[in-house]
Coordinates of all heavy atoms in Angstrom, one line a residue:
M4 N 1.8 -4.8 -2.2 CA 1.4 -6.2 -1.7 C 0.0 -6.4 -1.9 O -0.9 -5.5 -1.7 CB 1.8 -6.3 -0.2 CG 1.5 -7.6 0.3 SD 2.0 -7.8 2.1 CE 0.4 -7.6 2.8
R5 N -0.4 -7.6 -2.3 CA -1.8 -7.9 -2.6 C -2.1 -9.2 -1.9 O -1.3 -10.1 -1.9 CB -2.0 -8.1 -4.1 CG -3.4 -8.5 -4.5 CD -3.5 -8.7 -6.0 NE -3.0 -7.5 -6.7 CZ -3.7 -6.6 -7.3 NH1 -5.0 -6.7 -7.3 NH2 -3.2 -5.6 -8.0
D6 N -3.3 -9.3 -1.3 CA -3.7 -10.6 -0.7 C -5.1 -11.0 -1.2 O -5.7 -10.2 -1.9 CB -3.6 -10.6 0.9 CG -4.8 -9.8 1.5 OD1 -5.7 -9.4 0.8 OD2 -4.8 -9.6 2.7
T7 N -5.5 -12.2 -0.8 CA -6.8 -12.6 -1.2 C -7.6 -13.0 0.0 O -8.4 -13.9 0.0 CB -6.7 -13.8 -2.2 OG1 -5.9 -14.8 -1.6 CG2 -6.1 -13.4 -3.5
G8 N -7.4 -12.3 1.1 CA -8.1 -12.5 2.4 C -9.5 -12.0 2.4 O -10.1 -11.7 1.3
E9 N -10.0 -11.7 3.5 CA -11.4 -11.3 3.7 C -11.6 -9.8 3.4 O -12.7 -9.3 3.2 CB -11.9 -11.5 5.1 CG -11.1 -10.8 6.2 CD -11.4 -11.3 7.6 OE1 -11.2 -12.5 7.9 OE2 -11.9 -10.4 8.3
G10 N -10.5 -9.0 3.2 CA -10.7 -7.6 2.9 C -10.9 -6.8 4.1 O -11.1 -7.2 5.2
I11 N -11.0 -5.5 3.8 CA -11.2 -4.5 4.9 C -12.5 -3.7 4.6 O -12.6 -3.2 3.4 CB -10.0 -3.5 5.0 CG1 -8.8 -4.3 5.3 CG2 -10.3 -2.5 6.1 CD1 -7.5 -3.5 5.2
A12 N -13.4 -3.6 5.5 CA -14.7 -2.9 5.3 C -14.4 -1.5 5.0 O -13.5 -0.9 5.6 CB -15.6 -3.1 6.5
P13 N -15.2 -0.8 4.1 CA -14.9 0.6 3.7 C -14.9 1.5 4.9 O -14.1 2.5 4.9 CB -16.1 0.9 2.8 CG -16.6 -0.4 2.3 CD -16.3 -1.4 3.3
E14 N -15.7 1.3 5.9 CA -15.7 2.2 7.1 C -14.4 2.2 7.9 O -14.2 3.0 8.7 CB -16.9 2.0 8.0 CG -16.9 0.6 8.6 CD -17.7 -0.5 7.8 OE1 -17.9 -0.3 6.6 OE2 -18.0 -1.5 8.5
H15 N -13.5 1.2 7.6 CA -12.3 1.1 8.4 C -11.1 1.6 7.6 O -10.0 1.8 8.2 CB -12.0 -0.4 8.8 CG -13.0 -0.9 9.7 ND1 -13.2 -0.5 11.0 CD2 -14.0 -1.9 9.5 CE1 -14.2 -1.2 11.6 NE2 -14.7 -2.0 10.7
L16 N -11.2 1.8 6.3 CA -10.1 2.1 5.5 C -9.4 3.4 5.9 O -8.1 3.5 5.8 CB -10.5 2.2 4.0 CG -10.7 0.8 3.3 CD1 -11.2 1.0 1.9 CD2 -9.5 0.0 3.4
D17 N -10.1 4.4 6.3 CA -9.5 5.7 6.7 C -8.7 5.6 8.0 O -8.0 6.5 8.3 CB -10.6 6.8 6.8 CG -11.2 7.2 5.5 OD1 -10.5 6.9 4.5 OD2 -12.2 7.8 5.5
R18 N -8.9 4.5 8.7 CA -8.3 4.4 10.1 C -7.2 3.3 10.2 O -6.6 3.2 11.2 CB -9.3 4.2 11.1 CG -10.4 5.3 11.1 CD -11.0 5.6 12.4 NE -10.1 5.7 13.5 CZ -10.4 5.3 14.7 NH1 -11.6 4.7 15.0 NH2 -9.5 5.4 15.7
V19 N -7.0 2.5 9.2 CA -6.1 1.4 9.3 C -4.6 1.8 9.6 O -3.9 1.0 10.2 CB -6.1 0.4 8.1 CG1 -7.4 -0.2 7.9 CG2 -5.6 1.1 6.8
F20 N -4.2 3.0 9.3 CA -2.9 3.5 9.6 C -2.8 4.2 11.0 O -1.7 4.6 11.4 CB -2.4 4.4 8.5 CG -2.2 3.7 7.2 CD1 -3.1 3.9 6.2 CD2 -1.2 2.7 7.0 CE1 -3.0 3.3 5.0 CE2 -1.1 2.1 5.8 CZ -1.9 2.3 4.8
D21 N -3.9 4.3 11.7 CA -3.9 4.9 13.0 C -3.3 4.0 14.1 O -3.6 2.8 14.0 CB -5.3 5.2 13.5 CG -6.0 6.3 12.7 OD1 -5.3 7.0 11.8 OD2 -7.2 6.5 12.9
R22 N -2.5 4.6 15.0 CA -1.9 3.7 16.0 C -3.0 3.1 16.9 O -4.0 3.7 17.2 CB -1.0 4.6 16.9 CG 0.3 4.9 16.3 CD 1.2 5.6 17.2 NE 0.7 7.0 17.4 CZ 1.0 7.8 18.3 NH1 1.8 7.5 19.2 NH2 0.5 9.0 18.3
F23 N -2.8 1.8 17.2 CA -3.6 1.0 18.0 C -5.0 0.7 17.5 O -5.8 0.1 18.1 CB -3.8 1.6 19.4 CG -2.5 1.9 20.1 CD1 -2.0 3.2 20.3 CD2 -1.7 0.8 20.5 CE1 -0.8 3.4 20.9 CE2 -0.4 1.1 21.1 CZ 0.0 2.4 21.3
Y24 N -5.3 1.0 16.2 CA -6.6 0.8 15.6 C -6.7 -0.7 15.1 O -5.8 -1.2 14.5 CB -6.8 1.7 14.4 CG -8.2 1.5 13.9 CD1 -9.3 2.0 14.6 CD2 -8.5 0.8 12.7 CE1 -10.6 1.8 14.1 CE2 -9.7 0.7 12.2 CZ -10.8 1.2 12.9 OH -12.1 1.0 12.5
K25 N -7.7 -1.3 15.5 CA -8.0 -2.7 15.1 C -9.4 -2.7 14.5 O -10.4 -2.4 15.2 CB -7.9 -3.7 16.2 CG -6.5 -3.8 16.9 CD -6.6 -4.9 18.0 CE -5.4 -4.8 18.8 NZ -5.5 -5.7 19.9
A26 N -9.5 -3.1 13.3 CA -10.9 -3.1 12.6 C -11.7 -4.2 13.2 O -12.9 -4.1 13.3 CB -10.7 -3.3 11.1
D27 N -11.1 -5.3 13.7 CA -11.8 -6.4 14.2 C -11.2 -6.8 15.6 O -10.2 -7.3 15.7 CB -11.7 -7.6 13.2 CG -12.4 -8.8 13.7 OD1 -13.0 -8.8 14.8 OD2 -12.4 -9.8 13.0
E28 N -11.9 -6.4 16.6 CA -11.4 -6.6 18.0 C -11.3 -8.1 18.3 O -10.5 -8.5 19.1 CB -12.4 -6.0 19.0 CG -12.2 -4.5 19.1 CD -10.8 -4.0 19.5 OE1 -10.2 -4.6 20.4 OE2 -10.4 -3.0 19.0
A29 N -12.0 -8.9 17.6 CA -11.9 -10.4 17.8 C -10.5 -10.9 17.5 O -10.0 -11.9 18.1 CB -12.9 -11.2 17.0
R30 N -9.8 -10.2 16.6 CA -8.4 -10.6 16.2 C -7.4 -10.5 17.4 O -6.4 -11.1 17.5 CB -7.9 -9.8 15.1 CG -8.6 -10.2 13.8 CD -8.0 -9.3 12.7 NE -8.8 -9.6 11.4 CZ -8.3 -10.2 10.4 NH1 -7.0 -10.7 10.4 NH2 -9.0 -10.4 9.3
G31 N -7.7 -9.6 18.3 CA -6.9 -9.3 19.4 C -7.3 -10.1 20.7 O -6.7 -10.0 21.7
A32 N -8.3 -11.0 20.6 CA -8.8 -11.7 21.8 C -7.7 -12.6 22.4 O -7.8 -12.8 23.6 CB -10.0 -12.5 21.4
D33 N -6.8 -13.1 21.6 CA -5.8 -14.0 22.1 C -4.6 -13.3 22.6 O -3.6 -13.9 23.0 CB -5.4 -15.0 21.0 CG -4.7 -14.4 19.8 OD1 -4.7 -13.1 19.8 OD2 -4.3 -15.1 18.9
G34 N -4.7 -11.9 22.7 CA -3.6 -11.1 23.2 C -2.5 -10.8 22.2 O -1.5 -10.1 22.5
R35 N -2.7 -11.2 21.0 CA -1.8 -11.0 19.9 C -2.2 -9.7 19.1 O -3.4 -9.5 18.9 CB -1.6 -12.2 19.0 CG -1.1 -13.4 19.7 CD -1.1 -14.6 18.9 NE -0.1 -14.4 17.8 CZ -0.1 -15.2 16.7 NH1 -0.9 -16.2 16.6 NH2 0.8 -15.0 15.8
G36 N -1.3 -9.0 18.6 CA -1.6 -7.8 17.8 C -1.9 -6.6 18.6 O -2.7 -6.7 19.6
S37 N -1.2 -5.5 18.3 CA -1.4 -4.3 19.1 C -2.0 -3.2 18.3 O -2.2 -2.1 18.8 CB -0.1 -3.9 19.7 OG 0.9 -3.6 18.6
G38 N -2.2 -3.4 17.0 CA -2.7 -2.4 16.1 C -1.6 -1.3 15.8 O -1.9 -0.2 15.5
L39 N -0.3 -1.7 15.8 CA 0.8 -0.8 15.6 C 1.5 -1.0 14.2 O 2.1 -0.1 13.7 CB 1.8 -0.9 16.7 CG 1.4 -0.3 18.0 CD1 2.5 -0.6 19.1 CD2 1.3 1.2 17.8
G40 N 1.3 -2.2 13.6 CA 2.1 -2.5 12.5 C 2.0 -1.6 11.3 O 3.0 -1.1 10.7
L41 N 0.7 -1.3 10.9 CA 0.6 -0.4 9.8 C 0.9 1.1 10.1 O 1.4 1.8 9.2 CB -0.9 -0.4 9.3 CG -1.2 -1.8 8.6 CD1 -2.7 -1.8 8.2 CD2 -0.4 -2.0 7.3
S42 N 0.8 1.5 11.3 CA 1.2 2.9 11.7 C 2.7 3.0 11.7 O 3.2 4.0 11.2 CB 0.6 3.3 13.0 OG 1.2 2.5 14.1
I43 N 3.4 1.9 12.1 CA 4.9 1.9 12.0 C 5.3 1.9 10.5 O 6.2 2.7 10.1 CB 5.4 0.7 12.7 CG1 5.2 0.9 14.3 CG2 6.9 0.5 12.4 CD1 5.5 -0.3 15.1
A44 N 4.7 1.1 9.7 CA 5.0 1.1 8.3 C 4.8 2.4 7.6 O 5.7 2.9 6.9 CB 4.2 0.0 7.6
K45 N 3.7 3.1 8.0 CA 3.5 4.4 7.4 C 4.5 5.4 7.9 O 5.0 6.2 7.1 CB 2.1 4.9 7.9 CG 1.7 6.3 7.3 CD 0.4 6.7 7.7 CE 0.1 8.1 7.1 NZ -1.1 8.7 7.7
A46 N 4.9 5.4 9.1 CA 5.9 6.3 9.6 C 7.3 6.1 8.9 O 7.9 7.1 8.6 CB 6.1 6.1 11.2
I47 N 7.6 4.9 8.7 CA 8.9 4.5 8.0 C 8.9 5.1 6.6 O 9.8 5.7 6.1 CB 9.2 3.0 8.1 CG1 9.5 2.6 9.5 CG2 10.3 2.7 7.1 CD1 9.6 1.1 9.7
V48 N 7.8 4.8 5.9 CA 7.6 5.2 4.5 C 7.7 6.7 4.4 O 8.4 7.3 3.6 CB 6.3 4.6 3.9 CG1 6.0 5.3 2.5 CG2 6.4 3.1 3.7
E49 N 6.9 7.4 5.2 CA 6.9 8.9 5.2 C 8.2 9.5 5.6 O 8.6 10.5 5.0 CB 5.7 9.4 6.1 CG 4.4 9.1 5.5 CD 3.2 9.6 6.3 OE1 3.4 10.0 7.5 OE2 2.1 9.6 5.8
R50 N 8.9 8.8 6.5 CA 10.2 9.3 6.9 C 11.2 9.3 5.7 O 12.1 10.1 5.7 CB 10.8 8.5 8.1 CG 12.1 8.8 8.6 CD 12.1 10.0 9.4 NE 13.5 10.2 9.9 CZ 13.8 11.1 10.7 NH1 12.9 12.0 11.1 NH2 15.0 11.3 11.1
H51 N 11.0 8.4 4.8 CA 11.8 8.3 3.6 C 11.2 9.1 2.4 O 11.7 8.9 1.3 CB 12.0 6.8 3.2 CG 13.0 6.1 4.2 ND1 12.5 5.6 5.4 CD2 14.3 6.0 4.1 CE1 13.6 5.1 6.0 NE2 14.7 5.3 5.3
G52 N 10.2 9.9 2.7 CA 9.7 10.8 1.7 C 8.7 10.1 0.8 O 8.4 10.6 -0.3
G53 N 8.1 9.0 1.2 CA 7.2 8.2 0.4 C 5.8 8.3 0.8 O 5.4 9.1 1.7
R54 N 5.0 7.5 0.2 CA 3.5 7.4 0.5 C 3.2 5.9 0.6 O 3.7 5.1 -0.1 CB 2.7 8.0 -0.5 CG 2.9 9.5 -0.7 CD 1.9 10.0 -1.7 NE 1.7 9.2 -2.9 CZ 1.9 9.5 -4.1 NH1 2.2 10.8 -4.4 NH2 1.8 8.7 -5.1
I55 N 2.2 5.6 1.4 CA 1.6 4.3 1.5 C 0.1 4.4 1.4 O -0.5 5.4 2.0 CB 2.0 3.5 2.8 CG1 1.5 2.1 2.8 CG2 1.6 4.3 4.1 CD1 2.1 1.2 4.0
S56 N -0.6 3.5 0.7 CA -2.0 3.6 0.6 C -2.6 2.2 0.6 O -1.9 1.2 0.4 CB -2.4 4.3 -0.7 OG -1.9 3.6 -1.8
V57 N -3.9 2.1 0.8 CA -4.6 0.8 0.8 C -5.9 0.9 0.0 O -6.6 2.0 0.0 CB -4.9 0.4 2.3 CG1 -5.8 1.4 3.0 CG2 -5.5 -1.0 2.3
Q58 N -6.2 -0.1 -0.7 CA -7.5 -0.3 -1.3 C -8.0 -1.7 -1.0 O -7.2 -2.6 -0.9 CB -7.4 -0.2 -2.9 CG -6.9 1.2 -3.3 CD -6.8 1.2 -4.8 OE1 -6.7 0.2 -5.5 NE2 -6.7 2.4 -5.4
S59 N -9.3 -1.9 -0.8 CA -9.8 -3.2 -0.4 C -11.2 -3.4 -0.9 O -12.0 -2.5 -1.0 CB -9.8 -3.3 1.1 OG -10.1 -4.6 1.5
E60 N -11.4 -4.6 -1.3 CA -12.8 -5.1 -1.7 C -13.1 -6.2 -0.7 O -12.5 -7.3 -0.8 CB -12.8 -5.6 -3.1 CG -12.6 -4.6 -4.2 CD -12.7 -5.2 -5.5 OE1 -13.7 -5.9 -5.8 OE2 -11.7 -5.0 -6.3
P61 N -14.0 -5.9 0.3 CA -14.4 -7.0 1.2 C -14.8 -8.3 0.5 O -15.5 -8.3 -0.5 CB -15.6 -6.3 2.0 CG -15.3 -4.9 1.9 CD -14.8 -4.7 0.5
G62 N -14.2 -9.4 1.1 CA -14.5 -10.7 0.5 C -13.7 -11.0 -0.7 O -13.8 -12.1 -1.2
R63 N -12.8 -10.1 -1.1 CA -12.0 -10.4 -2.3 C -10.5 -10.2 -2.1 O -9.8 -11.1 -2.2 CB -12.5 -9.5 -3.4 CG -11.9 -9.8 -4.7 CD -12.7 -9.4 -5.9 NE -12.0 -9.9 -7.1 CZ -11.8 -9.2 -8.2 NH1 -12.3 -8.0 -8.3 NH2 -11.1 -9.7 -9.2
E64 N -10.1 -8.9 -1.9 CA -8.7 -8.7 -1.7 C -8.4 -7.3 -1.1 O -9.3 -6.5 -1.0 CB -8.0 -8.7 -3.1 CG -8.4 -7.5 -4.0 CD -7.7 -7.5 -5.3 OE1 -6.9 -8.5 -5.6 OE2 -7.9 -6.6 -6.1
T65 N -7.1 -7.2 -0.7 CA -6.6 -5.9 -0.1 C -5.3 -5.7 -0.8 O -4.5 -6.6 -0.9 CB -6.5 -6.0 1.4 OG1 -7.7 -6.2 2.0 CG2 -5.9 -4.7 1.9
V66 N -5.1 -4.4 -1.2 CA -3.8 -4.1 -1.9 C -3.2 -2.9 -1.2 O -3.9 -1.9 -1.0 CB -4.1 -3.6 -3.4 CG1 -2.8 -3.2 -4.0 CG2 -4.7 -4.8 -4.1
F67 N -2.0 -3.0 -0.7 CA -1.2 -2.0 -0.1 C -0.2 -1.5 -1.1 O 0.5 -2.4 -1.7 CB -0.5 -2.4 1.2 CG -1.5 -2.6 2.3 CD1 -2.1 -3.8 2.6 CD2 -1.7 -1.5 3.2 CE1 -2.9 -3.9 3.6 CE2 -2.6 -1.6 4.2 CZ -3.2 -2.8 4.5
E68 N -0.1 -0.2 -1.4 CA 0.9 0.3 -2.3 C 1.9 1.2 -1.6 O 1.4 2.1 -0.8 CB 0.2 1.0 -3.4 CG 1.2 1.6 -4.5 CD 0.4 2.3 -5.6 OE1 -0.3 3.2 -5.3 OE2 0.6 1.8 -6.7
V69 N 3.2 1.0 -1.7 CA 4.2 1.8 -1.1 C 5.0 2.5 -2.3 O 5.5 1.8 -3.1 CB 5.2 1.0 -0.2 CG1 6.3 1.8 0.3 CG2 4.4 0.3 0.9
L70 N 5.0 3.8 -2.2 CA 5.8 4.5 -3.2 C 6.9 5.3 -2.5 O 6.7 6.0 -1.6 CB 4.9 5.6 -3.9 CG 3.7 5.0 -4.7 CD1 2.8 6.1 -5.2 CD2 4.2 4.1 -5.9
L71 N 8.2 5.0 -2.9 CA 9.3 5.7 -2.4 C 10.1 6.4 -3.5 O 10.2 5.9 -4.6 CB 10.3 4.6 -1.7 CG 9.7 3.9 -0.5 CD1 10.6 2.7 -0.2 CD2 9.6 4.8 0.6
P72 N 10.6 7.6 -3.1 CA 11.3 8.4 -4.1 C 12.7 7.7 -4.4 O 13.3 7.1 -3.6 CB 11.5 9.7 -3.5 CG 11.5 9.4 -2.0 CD 10.6 8.3 -1.8
L73 N 13.1 7.9 -5.7 CA 14.4 7.4 -6.1 C 15.4 8.4 -5.6 O 15.4 9.6 -5.9 CB 14.5 7.3 -7.6 CG 15.8 6.8 -8.2 CD1 16.1 5.4 -7.7 CD2 15.7 6.8 -9.7
N74 N 16.4 7.9 -4.8 CA 17.4 8.8 -4.2 C 18.7 8.4 -4.9 O 19.3 7.3 -4.6 CB 17.4 8.6 -2.7 CG 18.4 9.6 -2.1 OD1 19.1 10.4 -2.7 ND2 18.5 9.5 -0.8
T75 N 19.3 9.3 -5.6 CA 20.6 9.0 -6.3 C 21.7 9.7 -5.5 O 22.9 9.5 -5.9 CB 20.6 9.5 -7.7 OG1 20.3 10.9 -7.8 CG2 19.5 8.7 -8.5
A76 N 21.5 10.4 -4.5 CA 22.6 11.1 -3.7 C 23.2 10.1 -2.8 O 22.5 9.3 -2.2 CB 22.0 12.3 -3.0
P77 N 24.5 10.2 -2.6 CA 25.1 9.3 -1.6 C 24.6 9.6 -0.2 O 24.3 10.8 0.1 CB 26.6 9.5 -1.8 CG 26.7 10.8 -2.4 CD 25.4 11.0 -3.2
P78 N 24.6 8.7 0.7 CA 24.3 8.9 2.1 C 25.2 10.0 2.7 O 26.4 10.0 2.4 CB 24.4 7.6 2.8 CG 24.4 6.6 1.7 CD 25.0 7.3 0.5
P79 N 24.7 10.7 3.7 CA 25.6 11.7 4.4 C 26.8 11.0 5.0 O 26.8 9.9 5.5 CB 24.7 12.3 5.5 CG 23.3 12.0 5.1 CD 23.4 10.7 4.3
G80 N 28.0 11.7 4.9 CA 29.2 11.1 5.4 C 30.0 10.3 4.3 O 31.1 9.9 4.5
L81 N 29.3 10.0 3.2 CA 30.0 9.2 2.1 C 30.2 10.1 0.9 O 30.6 9.6 -0.1 CB 29.2 8.0 1.7 CG 29.0 7.0 2.8 CD1 28.1 5.8 2.3 CD2 30.3 6.4 3.3
V82 N 30.1 11.4 1.1 CA 30.3 12.3 0.0 C 31.8 12.5 -0.2 O 32.5 12.9 0.8 CB 29.6 13.7 0.2 CG1 29.9 14.6 -0.9 CG2 28.1 13.5 0.4
P83 N 32.4 12.3 -1.3 CA 33.8 12.4 -1.5 C 34.3 13.9 -1.3 O 33.6 14.8 -1.7 CB 34.1 11.9 -2.9 CG 32.8 11.7 -3.5 CD 31.8 11.8 -2.5
S84 N 35.4 14.1 -0.6 CA 35.8 15.4 -0.4 C 36.4 16.0 -1.7 O 36.9 15.2 -2.6 CB 36.9 15.5 0.7 OG 38.0 14.8 0.3
E85 N 36.4 17.3 -1.8 CA 36.9 17.9 -3.1 C 38.4 17.8 -3.2 O 39.0 17.9 -4.2 CB 36.5 19.4 -3.1 CG 35.0 19.5 -3.4 CD 34.5 20.9 -3.5 OE1 35.3 21.7 -3.9 OE2 33.3 21.2 -3.3
S86 N 39.1 17.6 -2.0 CA 40.6 17.6 -2.0 C 41.1 16.2 -2.4 O 42.3 16.0 -2.6 CB 41.1 18.1 -0.7 OG 40.7 17.2 0.3
A87 N 40.2 15.2 -2.4 CA 40.7 13.9 -2.6 C 40.9 13.6 -4.1 O 40.5 14.1 -5.0 CB 39.7 12.9 -2.1

């Protein structure tokens, strides 16, 4: 995913996936946002054997990349039995 927003300052990039971390406390002043979204996304991606990363240029753009492995095996419980 790529955006053209304000970007993320370099000193925050290592922490954006931490639970409850907010790079800009002013964003939470209205009571919205808990700093959990990216940590949840990371947990889901890693649970599926993937990786998530971020690159950002302040004032220009932020790019999140999600890489998931290709899984060609059927889900558990859907494996045909040998007697069938």
Side-chain angles (χ1 to χ4, degrees):
M4 182 178 101
R5 178 184 308 257
D6 75 6
T7 56
E9 61 189 63
I11 301 169
E14 64 267 22
H15 298 291
L16 286 176
D17 289 342
R18 301 213 43 220
V19 296
F20 296 106
D21 292 352
R22 283 184 287 164
F23 304 111
Y24 185 74
K25 296 182 195 177
D27 182 358
E28 285 298 324
R30 289 179 185 251
D33 61 358
R35 298 175 64 191
S37 60
L39 287 172
L41 290 174
S42 66
I43 292 170
K45 181 180 180 191
I47 292 169
V48 169
E49 289 179 348
R50 177 76 177 182
H51 287 86
R54 295 185 318 234
I55 187 170
S56 63
V57 61
Q58 295 178 345
S59 187
E60 292 182 50
R63 185 154 185 225
E64 69 180 1
T65 299
V66 177
F67 286 90
E68 182 177 59
V69 175
L70 299 172
L71 294 170
L73 180 61
N74 185 359
T75 58
L81 295 180
V82 178
S84 67
E85 292 184 23
S86 61

